[in-house]
Amino acid sequence: MRLTNYTDYSLRVLIYLASLEPGKLSNIKEIAEVYGISKNHLMKVTHELGKMGVIETIRGRNGGIRLAMPPKEINIGKIVRKTEEDFQLVECFDGKPGSCIISPVCGLKHLLNKALVAYLTVLDQYTLADIVQNPLNYRMLFQSQEEGS
């Protein structure tokens, strides 16, 4: 299973924001520089995370972004489900008739579906707080990255 860059960047933004001192705001430029990724991509990601209600954006001169809820309330499985385009692991998952000639008798699609369900079930067991158990460690890494830029 492979996550899209969109989901990867979404999780990275959340990890970054969860690592901040409580109440501190960040911005897209700062996050893009720390991770070395495109600001344009992060603008789309943060917009979607805002629509999902997991981050809040504060406009204005002293604005920025921050988590809209505590990290323990942000479920990783839910984030992945909402940010991934689809979970079509193989052609026959699309539900279109005639996509694969062995589909009516194939056991592979059932095996892959079972694996996908297990994958998502594991992700459902974790929150952002589980990932960022020690925010200070993350802050130190991010700070050293900023200083090295």
Side-chain angles (χ1 to χ4, degrees):
M1 316 243 167
R2 186 161 201 253
L3 297 177
T4 60
N5 283 342
Y6 189 86
T7 299
D8 178 24
Y9 294 170
S10 297
L11 293 170
R12 289 195 213 189
V13 166
L14 294 174
I15 288 168
Y16 187 86
L17 295 176
S19 76
L20 297 176
E21 294 177 28
K24 186 169 189 270
L25 295 173
S26 183
N27 59 57
I28 293 168
K29 181 179 184 274
E30 180 179 304
I31 298 170
E33 287 175 359
V34 163
Y35 287 124
I37 54 181
S38 162
K39 285 192 298 187
N40 288 336
H41 283 74
L42 287 184
M43 286 173 58
K44 295 173 190 171
V45 165
T46 56
H47 177 74
E48 186 62 32
L49 291 172
K51 285 181 13 184
M52 289 167 46
V54 292
I55 68 169
E56 62 179 335
T57 56
I58 293 94
R59 296 186 183 265
R61 187 168 181 230
N62 295 317
I65 57 176
R66 64 180 171 210
L67 294 178
M69 60 186 72
K72 67 182 178 185
E73 293 179 20
I74 300 175
N75 182 274
I76 300 304
K78 287 181 183 177
I79 298 298
V80 169
R81 280 183 183 82
K82 289 182 179 182
T83 56
E84 279 297 302
E85 293 175 9
D86 65 57
F87 291 98
Q88 185 179 325
L89 301 179
V90 288
E91 184 179 307
C92 58
F93 275 32
D94 68 6
K96 296 176 185 171
S99 59
C100 177
I101 63 166
I102 64 171
S103 188
V105 296
C106 181
L108 179 61
K109 66 182 175 185
H110 301 295
L111 177 84
L112 291 174
N113 188 56
K114 189 174 179 178
L116 176 61
V117 169
Y119 174 74
L120 293 171
T121 299
V122 168
L123 293 178
D124 286 339
Q125 295 172 20
Y126 294 92
T127 67
L128 187 57
D130 295 318
I131 295 172
V132 186
Q133 291 183 13
N134 189 339
L136 182 58
N137 287 345
Y138 283 89
R139 285 196 298 269
M140 288 177 7
L141 282 172
F142 294 142
Q143 185 177 22
S144 68
Q145 183 64 30
E146 288 172 348
E147 291 169 358
S149 296

